[in-house]
PDB file of all heavy atoms in Angstrom:
ATOM      1  N   LEU I 327       8.541  26.203  47.396  1.00 92.00           N
ATOM      2  CA  LEU I 327       9.285  25.193  46.656  1.00 92.00           C
ATOM      3  C   LEU I 327       9.390  25.649  45.205  1.00 92.00           C
ATOM      4  O   LEU I 327       8.380  26.002  44.593  1.00 92.00           O
ATOM      5  CB  LEU I 327       8.574  23.842  46.699  1.00 92.00           C
ATOM      6  CG  LEU I 327       8.610  23.041  48.000  1.00 92.00           C
ATOM      7  CD1 LEU I 327       7.686  21.831  47.887  1.00 92.00           C
ATOM      8  CD2 LEU I 327      10.031  22.589  48.311  1.00 92.00           C
ATOM      9  N   LEU I 329      10.007  23.961  42.020  1.00 89.00           N
ATOM     10  CA  LEU I 329      10.073  22.603  41.498  1.00 89.00           C
ATOM     11  C   LEU I 329      10.475  22.650  40.031  1.00 89.00           C
ATOM     12  O   LEU I 329       9.696  23.015  39.161  1.00 89.00           O
ATOM     13  CB  LEU I 329       8.727  21.904  41.675  1.00 89.00           C
ATOM     14  CG  LEU I 329       8.672  20.423  41.321  1.00 89.00           C
ATOM     15  CD1 LEU I 329       9.683  19.624  42.123  1.00 89.00           C
ATOM     16  CD2 LEU I 329       7.271  19.880  41.556  1.00 89.00           C
ATOM     17  N   ILE I 357      18.320  21.540  46.547  1.00 97.00           N
ATOM     18  CA  ILE I 357      18.294  20.079  46.514  1.00 97.00           C
ATOM     19  C   ILE I 357      18.504  19.691  45.053  1.00 97.00           C
ATOM     20  O   ILE I 357      17.634  19.914  44.208  1.00 97.00           O
ATOM     21  CB  ILE I 357      16.963  19.525  47.048  1.00 97.00           C
ATOM     22  CG1 ILE I 357      16.740  20.008  48.494  1.00 97.00           C
ATOM     23  CG2 ILE I 357      16.944  17.999  46.986  1.00 97.00           C
ATOM     24  CD1 ILE I 357      15.392  19.641  49.069  1.00 97.00           C
ATOM     25  N   LEU I 358      19.674  19.134  44.765  1.00 97.00           N
ATOM     26  CA  LEU I 358      20.086  18.946  43.383  1.00 97.00           C
ATOM     27  C   LEU I 358      20.253  17.466  43.050  1.00 97.00           C
ATOM     28  O   LEU I 358      20.944  16.733  43.770  1.00 97.00           O
ATOM     29  CB  LEU I 358      21.412  19.668  43.120  1.00 97.00           C
ATOM     30  CG  LEU I 358      21.470  21.152  43.504  1.00 97.00           C
ATOM     31  CD1 LEU I 358      22.856  21.716  43.223  1.00 97.00           C
ATOM     32  CD2 LEU I 358      20.402  21.952  42.768  1.00 97.00           C
ATOM     33  N   ILE I 388      21.840  19.889  49.263  1.00 97.00           N
ATOM     34  CA  ILE I 388      21.669  18.438  49.332  1.00 97.00           C
ATOM     35  C   ILE I 388      21.875  17.898  47.923  1.00 97.00           C
ATOM     36  O   ILE I 388      21.264  18.377  46.959  1.00 97.00           O
ATOM     37  CB  ILE I 388      20.275  18.058  49.866  1.00 97.00           C
ATOM     38  CG1 ILE I 388      20.102  18.583  51.292  1.00 97.00           C
ATOM     39  CG2 ILE I 388      20.068  16.555  49.826  1.00 97.00           C
ATOM     40  CD1 ILE I 388      19.597  20.001  51.383  1.00 97.00           C
ATOM     41  N   ILE I 390      21.966  14.595  45.256  1.00 97.00           N
ATOM     42  CA  ILE I 390      21.342  13.279  45.077  1.00 97.00           C
ATOM     43  C   ILE I 390      21.824  12.660  43.769  1.00 97.00           C
ATOM     44  O   ILE I 390      21.768  13.309  42.716  1.00 97.00           O
ATOM     45  CB  ILE I 390      19.808  13.395  45.067  1.00 97.00           C
ATOM     46  CG1 ILE I 390      19.314  14.049  46.368  1.00 97.00           C
ATOM     47  CG2 ILE I 390      19.162  12.027  44.878  1.00 97.00           C
ATOM     48  CD1 ILE I 390      17.843  14.401  46.352  1.00 97.00           C
ATOM     49  N   ASN I 408      20.116   8.097  46.084  1.00 94.00           N
ATOM     50  CA  ASN I 408      18.922   8.155  45.245  1.00 94.00           C
ATOM     51  C   ASN I 408      17.826   8.932  45.947  1.00 94.00           C
ATOM     52  O   ASN I 408      17.938   9.280  47.131  1.00 94.00           O
ATOM     53  CB  ASN I 408      18.442   6.747  44.878  1.00 94.00           C
ATOM     54  CG  ASN I 408      18.230   5.877  46.096  1.00 94.00           C
ATOM     55  OD1 ASN I 408      17.529   6.260  47.032  1.00 94.00           O
ATOM     56  ND2 ASN I 408      18.846   4.693  46.099  1.00 94.00           N
ATOM     57  N   VAL I 409      16.750   9.195  45.209  1.00 95.00           N
ATOM     58  CA  VAL I 409      15.693  10.045  45.732  1.00 95.00           C
ATOM     59  C   VAL I 409      14.917   9.349  46.845  1.00 95.00           C
ATOM     60  O   VAL I 409      14.396  10.013  47.763  1.00 95.00           O
ATOM     61  CB  VAL I 409      14.759  10.495  44.586  1.00 95.00           C
ATOM     62  CG1 VAL I 409      13.912   9.335  44.071  1.00 95.00           C
ATOM     63  CG2 VAL I 409      13.871  11.640  45.009  1.00 95.00           C
ATOM     64  N   GLU I 410      14.851   8.017  46.816  1.00 94.00           N
ATOM     65  CA  GLU I 410      14.132   7.284  47.863  1.00 94.00           C
ATOM     66  C   GLU I 410      14.799   7.501  49.220  1.00 94.00           C
ATOM     67  O   GLU I 410      14.119   7.722  50.235  1.00 94.00           O
ATOM     68  CB  GLU I 410      14.077   5.797  47.516  1.00 94.00           C
ATOM     69  CG  GLU I 410      13.143   5.447  46.360  1.00 94.00           C
ATOM     70  CD  GLU I 410      13.698   5.806  44.999  1.00 94.00           C
ATOM     71  OE1 GLU I 410      14.939   6.000  44.888  1.00 94.00           O
ATOM     72  OE2 GLU I 410      12.895   5.910  44.041  1.00 94.00           O
ATOM     73  N   LYS I 411      16.125   7.460  49.245  1.00 94.00           N
ATOM     74  CA  LYS I 411      16.846   7.695  50.504  1.00 94.00           C
ATOM     75  C   LYS I 411      16.751   9.154  50.930  1.00 94.00           C
ATOM     76  O   LYS I 411      16.689   9.468  52.122  1.00 94.00           O
ATOM     77  CB  LYS I 411      18.304   7.268  50.351  1.00 94.00           C
ATOM     78  CG  LYS I 411      18.476   5.759  50.189  1.00 94.00           C
ATOM     79  CD  LYS I 411      19.940   5.369  50.097  1.00 94.00           C
ATOM     80  CE  LYS I 411      20.068   3.845  49.975  1.00 94.00           C
ATOM     81  NZ  LYS I 411      21.481   3.412  49.865  1.00 94.00           N
ATOM     82  N   ALA I 412      16.708  10.056  49.961  1.00 96.00           N
ATOM     83  CA  ALA I 412      16.607  11.481  50.281  1.00 96.00           C
ATOM     84  C   ALA I 412      15.235  11.843  50.832  1.00 96.00           C
ATOM     85  O   ALA I 412      15.110  12.770  51.646  1.00 96.00           O
ATOM     86  CB  ALA I 412      16.902  12.314  49.038  1.00 96.00           C
ATOM     87  N   LYS I 413      14.198  11.128  50.412  1.00 95.00           N
ATOM     88  CA  LYS I 413      12.838  11.481  50.840  1.00 95.00           C
ATOM     89  C   LYS I 413      12.654  11.320  52.334  1.00 95.00           C
ATOM     90  O   LYS I 413      11.954  12.131  52.976  1.00 95.00           O
ATOM     91  CB  LYS I 413      11.799  10.656  50.072  1.00 95.00           C
ATOM     92  CG  LYS I 413      10.357  11.055  50.439  1.00 95.00           C
ATOM     93  CD  LYS I 413       9.357  10.586  49.429  1.00 95.00           C
ATOM     94  CE  LYS I 413       7.930  10.907  49.876  1.00 95.00           C
ATOM     95  NZ  LYS I 413       7.728  12.347  50.157  1.00 95.00           N
ATOM     96  N   ALA I 414      13.258  10.298  52.916  1.00 93.00           N
ATOM     97  CA  ALA I 414      13.145  10.113  54.370  1.00 93.00           C
ATOM     98  C   ALA I 414      13.697  11.333  55.107  1.00 93.00           C
ATOM     99  O   ALA I 414      13.115  11.783  56.106  1.00 93.00           O
ATOM    100  CB  ALA I 414      13.892   8.847  54.787  1.00 93.00           C
ATOM    101  N   TRP I 415      14.801  11.881  54.600  1.00 95.00           N
ATOM    102  CA  TRP I 415      15.358  13.111  55.180  1.00 95.00           C
ATOM    103  C   TRP I 415      14.431  14.296  54.910  1.00 95.00           C
ATOM    104  O   TRP I 415      14.125  15.082  55.814  1.00 95.00           O
ATOM    105  CB  TRP I 415      16.748  13.374  54.582  1.00 95.00           C
ATOM    106  CG  TRP I 415      17.294  14.724  54.905  1.00 95.00           C
ATOM    107  CD1 TRP I 415      18.017  15.072  55.993  1.00 95.00           C
ATOM    108  CD2 TRP I 415      17.121  15.924  54.127  1.00 95.00           C
ATOM    109  NE1 TRP I 415      18.323  16.410  55.947  1.00 95.00           N
ATOM    110  CE2 TRP I 415      17.790  16.960  54.808  1.00 95.00           C
ATOM    111  CE3 TRP I 415      16.494  16.218  52.914  1.00 95.00           C
ATOM    112  CZ2 TRP I 415      17.830  18.268  54.326  1.00 95.00           C
ATOM    113  CZ3 TRP I 415      16.530  17.521  52.444  1.00 95.00           C
ATOM    114  CH2 TRP I 415      17.195  18.520  53.143  1.00 95.00           C
ATOM    115  N   PHE I 416      13.967  14.416  53.673  1.00 95.00           N
ATOM    116  CA  PHE I 416      13.147  15.558  53.256  1.00 95.00           C
ATOM    117  C   PHE I 416      11.891  15.676  54.107  1.00 95.00           C
ATOM    118  O   PHE I 416      11.512  16.773  54.538  1.00 95.00           O
ATOM    119  CB  PHE I 416      12.777  15.386  51.775  1.00 95.00           C
ATOM    120  CG  PHE I 416      11.990  16.523  51.193  1.00 95.00           C
ATOM    121  CD1 PHE I 416      12.632  17.602  50.620  1.00 95.00           C
ATOM    122  CD2 PHE I 416      10.599  16.519  51.203  1.00 95.00           C
ATOM    123  CE1 PHE I 416      11.916  18.649  50.068  1.00 95.00           C
ATOM    124  CE2 PHE I 416       9.876  17.555  50.666  1.00 95.00           C
ATOM    125  CZ  PHE I 416      10.540  18.629  50.100  1.00 95.00           C
ATOM    126  N   ASP I 417      11.241  14.561  54.371  1.00 93.00           N
ATOM    127  CA  ASP I 417       9.975  14.571  55.101  1.00 93.00           C
ATOM    128  C   ASP I 417      10.125  15.031  56.548  1.00 93.00           C
ATOM    129  O   ASP I 417       9.126  15.379  57.189  1.00 93.00           O
ATOM    130  CB  ASP I 417       9.333  13.181  55.063  1.00 93.00           C
ATOM    131  CG  ASP I 417       8.800  12.821  53.673  1.00 93.00           C
ATOM    132  OD1 ASP I 417       8.634  13.748  52.850  1.00 93.00           O
ATOM    133  OD2 ASP I 417       8.568  11.627  53.421  1.00 93.00           O
ATOM    134  N   LEU I 427      14.953  25.122  46.218  1.00 96.00           N
ATOM    135  CA  LEU I 427      15.055  24.719  44.811  1.00 96.00           C
ATOM    136  C   LEU I 427      15.220  23.211  44.722  1.00 96.00           C
ATOM    137  O   LEU I 427      16.085  22.631  45.384  1.00 96.00           O
ATOM    138  CB  LEU I 427      16.251  25.402  44.152  1.00 96.00           C
ATOM    139  CG  LEU I 427      16.631  24.888  42.754  1.00 96.00           C
ATOM    140  CD1 LEU I 427      15.546  25.214  41.735  1.00 96.00           C
ATOM    141  CD2 LEU I 427      17.983  25.453  42.311  1.00 96.00           C
ATOM    142  N   ILE I 428      14.391  22.576  43.892  1.00 96.00           N
ATOM    143  CA  ILE I 428      14.519  21.143  43.602  1.00 96.00           C
ATOM    144  C   ILE I 428      14.783  21.026  42.106  1.00 96.00           C
ATOM    145  O   ILE I 428      13.912  21.273  41.283  1.00 96.00           O
ATOM    146  CB  ILE I 428      13.246  20.373  44.001  1.00 96.00           C
ATOM    147  CG1 ILE I 428      12.994  20.522  45.504  1.00 96.00           C
ATOM    148  CG2 ILE I 428      13.372  18.906  43.631  1.00 96.00           C
ATOM    149  CD1 ILE I 428      11.719  19.857  45.984  1.00 96.00           C
ATOM    150  N   LYS I 429      16.024  20.642  41.753  1.00 94.00           N
ATOM    151  CA  LYS I 429      16.447  20.673  40.356  1.00 94.00           C
ATOM    152  C   LYS I 429      17.302  19.454  40.045  1.00 94.00           C
ATOM    153  O   LYS I 429      18.241  19.145  40.787  1.00 94.00           O
ATOM    154  CB  LYS I 429      17.261  21.953  40.102  1.00 94.00           C
ATOM    155  CG  LYS I 429      17.890  22.073  38.717  1.00 94.00           C
ATOM    156  CD  LYS I 429      16.883  22.446  37.673  1.00 94.00           C
ATOM    157  CE  LYS I 429      17.537  22.706  36.325  1.00 94.00           C
ATOM    158  NZ  LYS I 429      16.557  22.908  35.241  1.00 94.00           N
ATOM    159  N   GLY I 435      14.140  11.615  39.156  1.00 92.00           N
ATOM    160  CA  GLY I 435      12.803  11.542  39.746  1.00 92.00           C
ATOM    161  C   GLY I 435      12.622  12.379  40.995  1.00 92.00           C
ATOM    162  O   GLY I 435      11.947  11.972  41.941  1.00 92.00           O
ATOM    163  N   LEU I 436      13.185  13.595  41.004  1.00 94.00           N
ATOM    164  CA  LEU I 436      13.121  14.424  42.212  1.00 94.00           C
ATOM    165  C   LEU I 436      11.705  14.829  42.601  1.00 94.00           C
ATOM    166  O   LEU I 436      11.455  15.174  43.758  1.00 94.00           O
ATOM    167  CB  LEU I 436      13.971  15.690  42.027  1.00 94.00           C
ATOM    168  CG  LEU I 436      15.485  15.517  41.997  1.00 94.00           C
ATOM    169  CD1 LEU I 436      16.169  16.868  41.907  1.00 94.00           C
ATOM    170  CD2 LEU I 436      15.974  14.770  43.237  1.00 94.00           C
ATOM    171  N   GLU I 437      10.770  14.776  41.636  1.00 91.00           N
ATOM    172  CA  GLU I 437       9.390  15.127  41.995  1.00 91.00           C
ATOM    173  C   GLU I 437       8.818  14.207  43.063  1.00 91.00           C
ATOM    174  O   GLU I 437       7.863  14.574  43.757  1.00 91.00           O
ATOM    175  CB  GLU I 437       8.497  15.131  40.747  1.00 91.00           C
ATOM    176  CG  GLU I 437       8.186  13.753  40.161  1.00 91.00           C
ATOM    177  CD  GLU I 437       9.290  13.212  39.263  1.00 91.00           C
ATOM    178  OE1 GLU I 437      10.322  13.898  39.108  1.00 91.00           O
ATOM    179  OE2 GLU I 437       9.107  12.089  38.742  1.00 91.00           O
ATOM    180  N   LYS I 438       9.413  13.032  43.238  1.00 92.00           N
ATOM    181  CA  LYS I 438       8.949  12.096  44.273  1.00 92.00           C
ATOM    182  C   LYS I 438       9.131  12.677  45.671  1.00 92.00           C
ATOM    183  O   LYS I 438       8.445  12.261  46.609  1.00 92.00           O
ATOM    184  CB  LYS I 438       9.687  10.774  44.167  1.00 92.00           C
ATOM    185  CG  LYS I 438       9.447  10.024  42.858  1.00 92.00           C
ATOM    186  CD  LYS I 438      10.339   8.788  42.753  1.00 92.00           C
ATOM    187  CE  LYS I 438      10.230   8.125  41.397  1.00 92.00           C
ATOM    188  NZ  LYS I 438      11.197   7.032  41.242  1.00 92.00           N
ATOM    189  N   LEU I 439      10.036  13.631  45.806  1.00 93.00           N
ATOM    190  CA  LEU I 439      10.253  14.250  47.117  1.00 93.00           C
ATOM    191  C   LEU I 439       8.998  14.944  47.628  1.00 93.00           C
ATOM    192  O   LEU I 439       8.741  14.975  48.834  1.00 93.00           O
ATOM    193  CB  LEU I 439      11.404  15.261  47.062  1.00 93.00           C
ATOM    194  CG  LEU I 439      12.816  14.719  46.859  1.00 93.00           C
ATOM    195  CD1 LEU I 439      13.783  15.882  46.689  1.00 93.00           C
ATOM    196  CD2 LEU I 439      13.233  13.838  48.052  1.00 93.00           C
ATOM    197  N   VAL I 440       8.227  15.526  46.711  1.00 88.00           N
ATOM    198  CA  VAL I 440       7.100  16.359  47.122  1.00 88.00           C
ATOM    199  C   VAL I 440       5.757  15.716  46.852  1.00 88.00           C
ATOM    200  O   VAL I 440       4.715  16.348  47.042  1.00 88.00           O
ATOM    201  CB  VAL I 440       7.174  17.739  46.441  1.00 88.00           C
ATOM    202  CG1 VAL I 440       8.405  18.485  46.894  1.00 88.00           C
ATOM    203  CG2 VAL I 440       7.178  17.609  44.927  1.00 88.00           C
ATOM    204  N   GLN I 441       5.749  14.477  46.388  1.00 79.00           N
ATOM    205  CA  GLN I 441       4.475  13.791  46.209  1.00 79.00           C
ATOM    206  C   GLN I 441       3.834  13.573  47.569  1.00 79.00           C
ATOM    207  O   GLN I 441       4.468  13.067  48.487  1.00 79.00           O
ATOM    208  CB  GLN I 441       4.687  12.456  45.482  1.00 79.00           C
ATOM    209  CG  GLN I 441       4.984  12.626  44.003  1.00 79.00           C
ATOM    210  CD  GLN I 441       5.320  11.329  43.309  1.00 79.00           C
ATOM    211  OE1 GLN I 441       5.529  10.311  43.978  1.00 79.00           O
ATOM    212  NE2 GLN I 441       5.364  11.351  42.004  1.00 79.00           N
ATOM    213  N   GLU I 442       2.573  13.946  47.646  1.00 62.00           N
ATOM    214  CA  GLU I 442       1.879  13.818  48.932  1.00 62.00           C
ATOM    215  C   GLU I 442       1.698  12.336  49.262  1.00 62.00           C
ATOM    216  O   GLU I 442       1.366  11.544  48.400  1.00 62.00           O
ATOM    217  CB  GLU I 442       0.507  14.519  48.856  1.00 62.00           C
ATOM    218  CG  GLU I 442       0.607  16.004  48.615  1.00 62.00           C
ATOM    219  CD  GLU I 442       1.328  16.760  49.710  1.00 62.00           C
ATOM    220  OE1 GLU I 442       1.323  16.270  50.863  1.00 62.00           O
ATOM    221  OE2 GLU I 442       1.907  17.811  49.420  1.00 62.00           O
TER     222      GLU I 442
END
Side-chain angles (χ1 to χ4, degrees):
L327 286 172
L329 187 57
I357 301 174
L358 307 178
I388 298 87
I390 303 171
N408 54 52
V409 71
E410 288 76 19
K411 292 182 178 179
K413 183 162 176 56
W415 169 88
F416 183 89
D417 289 343
L427 170 67
I428 299 177
K429 175 76 174 173
L436 290 184
E437 72 278 1
K438 297 174 187 174
L439 291 174
V440 296
Q441 286 175 349
E442 297 298 334

